[in-house]
Amino acid sequence: MLAIIGGSGMTQLSCLEISRRQVMRTPYGEPSGPLTFGEICGHEIVFLPRHGPGHTIPPHAINYRANLWALHSLKPSLVVAIAAVGGIHAELTPGTIVVPDQIIDYTYDRKFTYFEDNEQPITHIDFTEPYCQMTREKLLTAAKQAEEAVVNGGVYAATQGPRLESAAEVNRLERDGVDMVGMTGMPETALARELGLPYAAIAIVANYAAGRGTNIHAIPLKEIYAVLDQAMIKVRNIITQLVTSNGD
Ligand code: HPA
């Protein structure tokens, strides 16, 4: 079964025929909301809106550990995380869809590991390739088959939020080699690896990052949602193709 974590602008999956919702408890507390089970074109999937069903949980307050733990307990075949980002690289204009291949963590004060107490042996997960390559390949193939253009690879920066960045911070991110910036990629990506989940992300460029493109002085939040609505059509096409070819 494919698991999908929905981001901003995606609290529902409109192509999903819902069969049931399930409230789950985990040793780390409750996930962002009930897990929604349903079918896309006859293939079972589970959907979890990262910010809660009413988009009320800010990035720093998301219980990432509970979310990933709940999905892991269902033994999903793939986990696809959908996330809005600001574009820093000149090619990443609003509406562009990216399958990132690297990540840098700028977050702080979040529960970022399952290996935090000293009763367990010290565990250092490998994070050289932070996203599951097999899942990335499947996403790229599905996008090709669905004839939706996606950018293969890019460096995602996870910032703390909930505020957006200053123009100088975006310049620093660029010097660090960052292509796109969002607020939810970490610790989600690392926790997925700690659990051994086949996890990859679809990043949707919602806006030019602060100080870039048309956003020299400010980021117009209304426009972000309009861009996300449009891009979601493409994301749904990719997901539909993915579930069909993944054969779950
Ligand atoms: N910065 C951080 N997170 C974001 C942005 C941004 O510009 N756009 C969407 N999520």
Side-chain angles (χ1 to χ4, degrees):
M1 179 174 53
L2 174 74
I4 300 171
I5 305 175
S8 289
M10 204 189 192
T11 47
Q12 291 166 4
L13 201 60
S14 63
C15 48
L16 178 65
E17 282 178 43
I18 297 172
S19 53
R20 69 194 163 95
R21 288 198 168 85
Q22 189 180 341
V23 175
M24 289 187 72
R25 290 198 174 75
T26 78
Y28 303 94
E30 281 190 26
S32 297
L35 301 191
T36 305
F37 293 83
E39 286 188 358
I40 295 176
C41 303
H43 300 275
E44 205 190 3
I45 70 138
V46 57
F47 178 72
L48 176 62
R50 191 188 281 113
H51 297 278
H55 201 259
T56 51
I57 311 172
H60 58 280
I62 291 168
N63 191 339
Y64 295 95
R65 293 196 300 182
N67 285 354
L68 275 290
W69 191 270
L71 293 179
H72 177 246
S73 70
L74 303 169
K75 301 192 171 41
S77 54
L78 302 175
V79 181
V80 175
I82 300 164
V85 294
I88 298 179
H89 190 286
E91 278 174 26
L92 302 188
T93 55
T96 307
I97 297 177
V98 194
V99 179
D101 63 346
Q102 281 296 333
I103 194 162
I104 302 179
D105 188 6
Y106 298 90
T107 66
Y108 48 89
D109 252 352
R110 299 183 181 191
K111 294 281 190 190
F112 59 91
T113 180
Y114 294 106
F115 300 112
E116 66 179 352
D117 59 52
N118 49 17
E119 280 154 33
Q120 299 160 337
I122 296 175
T123 306
H124 303 288
I125 52 154
D126 181 73
F127 208 46
T128 313
E129 291 184 338
Y131 299 98
C132 167
Q133 289 297 355
M134 181 261 303
T135 308
R136 288 189 69 255
E137 290 298 335
K138 287 193 175 186
L139 275 174
L140 294 167
T141 305
K144 200 170 183 185
Q145 287 167 343
E147 297 181 3
E148 297 291 1
V150 295
V151 175
N152 177 2
V155 180
Y156 175 112
T159 54
Q160 177 67 0
R163 65 166 179 84
L164 292 156
E165 297 71 38
S166 70
E169 285 171 330
V170 170
N171 290 340
R172 185 186 73 158
L173 292 174
E174 186 171 50
R175 289 195 297 275
D176 281 357
V178 167
D179 299 306
M180 71 208 97
V181 53
M183 300 176 193
T184 56
M186 289 295 279
E188 192 174 273
T189 309
L191 292 169
R193 176 60 53 82
E194 285 190 351
L195 294 174
L197 284 166
Y199 171 103
I202 298 181
I204 302 160
V205 181
N207 55 279
Y208 292 104
R212 298 299 164 103
T214 50
N215 297 341
I216 300 295
H217 300 296
I219 295 179
L221 290 178
K222 270 194 196 143
E223 284 171 28
I224 289 189
Y225 285 100
V227 170
L228 286 176
D229 278 353
Q230 277 304 310
M232 260 346 141
I233 299 167
K234 299 182 193 171
V235 172
R236 279 197 288 269
N237 288 342
I238 297 170
I239 300 268
T240 304
Q241 185 62 50
L242 179 69
V243 284
T244 313
S245 30
N246 200 40
D248 280 309

